[in-house]
Amino acid sequence: MENMEKNLSYILHHLNEDALPHGAVSPPIYQTSIFCFPSYEEFRDAINDEVHHSLYTRGNNPTIQLAEEKLAALEGGERSKLVSSGVSAISHAIMAFVKSGDHVVCVEDSYSWTKVLLEKYLTRFGVEVTFVEGTDSDAVFAAVRPATRVIYLESPTTFTFKLQDLPAIAAFARQKGIKTITDNTWATPIFCNPIIFGIDLVVHSGSKYFGGSSDIIAGVIVGSAADIDLIQKQEFLQLGTVPDPMMAWLLMRGLRTLHIRMKAHYASSLAAAAYLEKHPKIESVLYPMLPSYQQLDLARKLFSGGSGLFSFKLKVNKLESVIKFTNALRLFKRAVSWGGYESLVFPAAVKYLKEADVPPDRLGLIRIHVGLEEPADLIADLEQALAGI
Ligand SMILES: *Cc1c(COP(=O)(O)O)cnc(C)c1O
């Protein structure tokens, strides 16, 4: 991490930007679908190696490429590919390494669309999946079969904030020639670099902290040059999950302030989590960097800080109390997603139309995103909403 800190300012503000046209401080947006060549020979070279040339924006574009160079450097990978959403990053990373008859081990409580991809979509093509409780590395190892090609991780898991021992699982998988992929959206490269732990491919939703303003949808895959080249040639060019130059530019604009924002999200979240933990109407708080967190040692091994997203459990037994609490919040807006400047609330129960369908362990489960507002104001907002139930 120390090295990373040293390079951060360089990566975010200088990397490959020394020769921008006219001395522009902000990189140009190459809003073009095609690139023209001065000669037959140059045209021939580009069309025969689309991965390394700007030929057509479905394959490559200089604005997109600059964003990719920064993202690869941030994660400590050789190459990265920017794609149109986090879900396409996840789909591409998994699909590139499986075929009919293969098997995937995936952590339980992974992002909802990751689950759908493995459980419903890829099974149509003869790819099998086993979901495992990822807090137990032995359970992950035990689920591996001779046909296992990919171990898919997400640390922490969505809504439940459970961690997996990335270094241990990566070492095990490497020995067996199994690809490891992890979703690092929560921690961002500011607080965690899974490649250092031996993970092969890191995926991100760029719609969260990279953009940082809840105004773009983006996805990123980072890994070795060989793996990213393969994904670009197979899934990316074929399925056409193209990022557009404007999105890449907005994402880079977000990256300029990523380190500053993450420090603020971390400090405010620690304060909010510590406040909630002491509140008599709260049963428990699930924030990996909180001293009372169940896997604190592992959290400290994996992360040098935490982001603004965490869950807590209200001591309630009726949906009515959850509804009342959610509606009483003023600064926390009711919405999906996270990673912008604004604070958000997402009660787990909102996914169900009828109270009877809500699983009992999800009834009081509330996920919040602690944004960049003043932490004292956010805590006051939580306090007044809790007082009403
Ligand atoms: C939002 C999210 C995704 C999906 O990203 P999109 O950009 O919405 O497609 C994947 N993983 C995690 C952990 C997320 O929070």
Side-chain angles (χ1 to χ4, degrees), residues 38-298:
S39 68
Y40 174 97
E41 293 83 352
E42 282 159 271
F43 192 3
R44 177 199 59 205
D45 292 346
I47 204 168
N48 282 289
D49 183 16
E50 193 169 352
V51 165
H52 299 104
H53 290 86
S54 288
L55 170 82
Y56 187 47
T57 287
R58 179 156 54 74
N60 249 328
N61 172 292
T63 311
I64 292 164
Q65 196 183 327
L66 183 58
E68 289 171 349
E69 286 159 358
K70 287 178 186 291
L71 292 162
L74 270 179
E75 272 297 14
E78 286 174 358
R79 262 206 82 194
S80 93
K81 192 76 207 89
L82 189 64
V83 291
S84 56
S85 68
V87 163
S88 60
I90 293 164
S91 306
H92 287 3
I94 295 174
M95 287 162 78
F97 300 102
V98 292
K99 60 178 181 340
S100 175
D102 287 346
H103 174 248
V104 177
V105 174
C106 180
V107 67
E108 258 171 27
D109 297 335
S110 52
Y111 181 69
S112 55
W113 289 101
T114 306
K115 236 181 148 172
V116 173
L117 174 80
L118 289 164
E119 214 167 29
K120 305 236 164 78
Y121 195 88
L122 287 180
T123 47
R124 280 170 45 203
F125 301 95
V127 176
E128 291 186 50
V129 60
T130 306
F131 291 98
V132 290
E133 167 60 56
T135 51
D136 178 6
S137 297
D138 288 331
V140 177
F141 305 155
V144 165
R145 308 174 189 167
T148 306
R149 293 287 167 271
V150 169
I151 297 178
Y152 187 91
L153 307 169
E154 184 182 323
S155 206
T157 48
T158 291
F159 257 94
T160 49
F161 294 89
K162 293 180 191 170
L163 304 182
Q164 301 107 57
D165 191 337
L166 301 184
I169 297 170
F172 168 89
R174 189 142 293 194
Q175 228 181 22
K176 298 210 174 304
I178 299 169
K179 285 276 177 214
T180 46
I181 307 170
T182 195
D183 185 327
N184 196 33
T185 307
W186 182 83
T188 80
I190 302 298
F191 293 138
C192 177
N193 294 113
I195 288 172
I196 291 173
F197 300 133
I199 295 291
D200 293 312
L201 289 143
V202 179
V203 290
H204 283 278
S205 165
S207 322
K208 311 292 165 54
Y209 289 119
F210 291 168
S213 299
S214 301
D215 55 9
I216 57 166
I217 300 291
V220 185
I221 316 161
V222 189
S224 70
D227 284 350
I228 299 297
D229 281 6
L230 179 82
I231 290 169
Q232 185 169 1
K233 275 185 216 153
Q234 285 183 172
E235 281 68 31
F236 179 76
L237 275 162
Q238 184 61 48
L239 301 176
T241 52
V242 194
D244 65 275
M246 183 69 190
M247 173 270 261
W249 185 87
L250 284 168
L251 184 141
M252 274 189 280
R253 186 168 72 167
L255 289 184
R256 305 284 196 203
T257 56
L258 180 67
H259 54 312
I260 308 286
R261 287 185 283 115
M262 294 319 294
K263 280 179 197 154
H265 285 297
Y266 182 30
S268 300
S269 296
L270 270 183
Y275 162 79
L276 287 167
E277 190 172 44
K278 291 199 200 85
H279 198 285
K281 289 177 186 168
I282 304 283
E283 193 180 298
S284 58
V285 175
L286 310 171
Y287 187 63
M289 303 310 280
L290 203 59
S292 62
Y293 178 69
Q294 277 207 346
Q295 296 172 280
L296 187 66
D297 289 345
L298 181 57

